[in-house]
Amino acid sequence: MASQERIRVAVVFGGQSTEHAVSCVSAASVLANLDPERFELLPVGITPQGSWVLGPADPATLAIEDRTLPTVTSGTSVTLPADPTSTNLVVLERGREGEILSAVDVVFPVLHGAFGEDGTIQGLLEMVGLPYVGAGVLASAVVMDKEFTKKLLRAEGLPVGTYEVLHRNDKTLTETQKERLGLPVFVKPARAGSSTGITKVTDWTKLDEAIAEARAIDPKVLVEAMIVGREIECGVLEFPDGHVEASLPAEIRIDENLDFYDFATKYIDDGAELDIPAKLDDEATEHLRTMAVKAFHAVDGQGLARVDFFVSPDGAITLNELNTMPGFTPTSAYPKMWAVTGVDYRTLLSTLIDTAIARGTGLR
Ligand SMILES: Nc1ncnc2c1ncn2[C@@H]1O[C@H](COP(=O)(O)OP(=O)(O)O)[C@@H](O)[C@H]1O
Ligand SMILES: [Mg+2]
């Protein structure tokens, strides 16, 4: 295929969230695996300060090296004007202002967390009139917020755990709330990810410290009753014709000495193993896959999502959370689950882009 016929994909990564580095690692993997025959790649990094720069030509520079996390630093300054009459990536550099770098056909926002997975960049892309991979404004905003995710899931009759919300002015839990939850509890920022700011509290004297840690990230904090169970997740994928499927589930087995699935275990240490497919009987597997699709629709999901569950020893299933832009790092479950289900990484990425283009922007 001649190069001018290829689809121009802006892969956007980094960003202002606490998951900047994780996004870089995910993007490195996406850039390395998008089909070069079909797609022309435009890597666009967003610095931790929010500046858009042309990303490195070599995605390998975005990987984790010797436990050092990657960061988007400098590069040619670019922007995507919120003007639907042009979908050009425009240079902002002094002396080159307004120079058109390239027209863009579709955006793959490989961004996690605030300003990426929360509906804000999705809103910008709607204004630009550019199709993009993944959830729209509503689902992105809902799923970024663990309180509203639970509310929508519960409204559809899906099982969620017991929790309390501490808003900006709620200093701590009341005695009644403590009694309702029982120990241990998980204290977490309402709108974060990659386990940042999360503490497992086994003694009420440690609660306020945990709240402060979560508040360093988000003034709204969730305190959840601990759920004892295996951690199982399912990938959900929307195809260009609009039908939605769930992958085979994966089980995350973390090292027994670890408290929970924390940041280092997720991305740096080898403290977790994935069983794909999860060792579950056929009935439980199908039940989880059906629930994953239901959860996807409950939050008005689009494109893709990863749906995370706890499966308790008695077989009870509880939904933990969804992720509208799950990790795409080499150790991430989402692409691995699809590979085992029969959709290899390259096909998965092509499907995501084809679905984005088929859907377009605006009300749908
Ligand atoms: N209510 C809970 N009960 C048991 N474990 C939990 C609970 N909430 C969180 N965890 C543990 O903490 C991890 C991260 O929490 P999660 O809510 O998934 O936040 P994140 O968005 O950062 O991934 C989970 O994968 C799990 O290991
Ligand atoms: Mg999680």
Side-chain angles (χ1 to χ4, degrees):
M1 211 186 275
S3 65
Q4 62 265 37
E5 291 168 19
R6 292 187 303 170
I7 297 167
R8 286 158 304 198
V9 185
V11 176
V12 183
F13 57 90
Q16 295 178 69
S17 86
T18 50
E19 293 171 274
H20 179 98
V22 178
S23 162
C24 294
V25 181
S26 286
S29 171
V30 167
L31 286 163
N33 286 284
L34 273 165
D35 184 354
E37 299 262 310
R38 289 196 61 208
F39 304 113
E40 184 184 327
L41 304 180
L42 297 158
V44 178
I46 302 181
T47 67
Q49 293 73 37
S51 298
W52 291 41
V53 297
L54 209 57
D58 178 9
T61 60
L62 297 168
I64 297 179
E65 282 283 344
D66 299 329
R67 302 175 65 96
T68 305
L69 300 170
T71 315
V72 175
T73 47
S74 56
T76 305
S77 185
V78 292
T79 189
L80 202 53
D83 170 356
T85 62
S86 94
T87 54
N88 296 324
L89 208 52
V90 175
V91 180
L92 282 177
E93 288 295 282
R94 199 179 285 263
R96 289 175 65 190
E97 294 100 335
E99 185 182 313
I100 291 170
L101 208 63
S102 172
V104 178
D105 297 315
V106 58
V107 175
F108 195 153
V110 191
L111 293 161
H112 307 307
F115 299 112
E117 211 176 340
D118 61 355
T120 50
I121 193 167
Q122 289 75 14
L124 170 70
L125 295 170
E126 290 288 342
M127 292 194 71
V128 179
L130 262 179
Y132 51 92
V133 169
V137 172
L138 179 76
S140 299
V142 164
V143 170
M144 186 71 223
D145 186 314
K146 289 182 164 73
E147 177 192 9
F148 284 94
T149 303
K150 287 186 207 292
K151 283 183 169 165
L152 284 194
L153 293 174
R154 183 177 281 162
E156 289 301 315
L158 291 159
V160 298
T162 310
Y163 67 98
E164 295 287 349
V165 181
L166 294 174
H167 294 281
R168 176 184 294 278
N169 295 326
D170 303 324
K171 274 185 81 174
T172 188
L173 293 177
T174 63
E175 289 307 314
T176 319
Q177 288 176 316
K178 285 183 190 168
E179 260 165 49
R180 180 170 170 260
L181 296 171
L183 283 170
V185 288
F186 275 81
V187 180
K188 47 178 100 165
R191 296 155 291 197
S194 292
S195 299
T196 42
I198 299 186
T199 313
K200 177 179 170 180
V201 170
T202 53
D203 177 341
W204 291 126
T205 60
K206 299 279 163 52
L207 176 68
D208 291 355
E209 209 176 300
I211 294 170
E213 203 165 311
R215 282 236 156 98
I217 295 171
D218 188 338
K220 184 165 80 170
V221 170
L222 256 65
V223 186
E224 299 183 4
M226 172 163 154
I227 295 161
V228 177
R230 297 159 68 187
E231 288 200 58
I232 312 273
E233 36 197 57
C234 256
V236 176
L237 178 63
E238 183 190 357
F239 289 82
D241 67 359
H243 90 278
V244 169
E245 284 182 28
S247 72
L248 286 165
E251 173 164 12
I252 297 152
R253 284 188 297 109
I254 60 168
D255 199 310
E256 278 175 20
N257 304 316
L258 294 168
D259 240 4
F260 64 97
Y261 195 29
D262 60 13
F263 184 88
T265 313
K266 279 180 178 171
Y267 305 108
I268 299 170
D269 301 327
D270 291 330
E273 275 179 57
L274 283 175
D275 276 347
I276 314 176
K279 293 187 181 74
L280 294 161
D281 62 38
D282 291 351
E283 198 186 328
T285 298
E286 284 320 304
H287 188 42
L288 282 166
R289 293 174 88 175
T290 307
M291 267 172 114
V293 172
K294 262 193 171 178
F296 183 79
H297 291 309
V299 298
D300 194 29
Q302 284 166 336
L304 78 163
R306 203 190 67 225
V307 184
D308 300 351
F309 303 91
F310 294 109
V311 178
S312 298
D314 64 356
I317 296 170
T318 312
L319 275 144
N320 177 30
E321 60 157 353
L322 283 85
N323 288 277
T324 49
M325 190 51 73
F328 274 89
T329 72
T331 56
S332 295
Y334 186 82
K336 285 189 178 173
M337 288 189 283
W338 279 110
V340 174
T341 312
V343 182
D344 64 64
Y345 200 1
R346 182 169 284 193
T347 310
L348 174 66
L349 296 175
S350 292
T351 305
L352 289 168
I353 290 174
D354 290 338
T355 300
I357 293 170
R359 187 181 75 206
T361 52
L363 295 180
R364 46 198 182 243

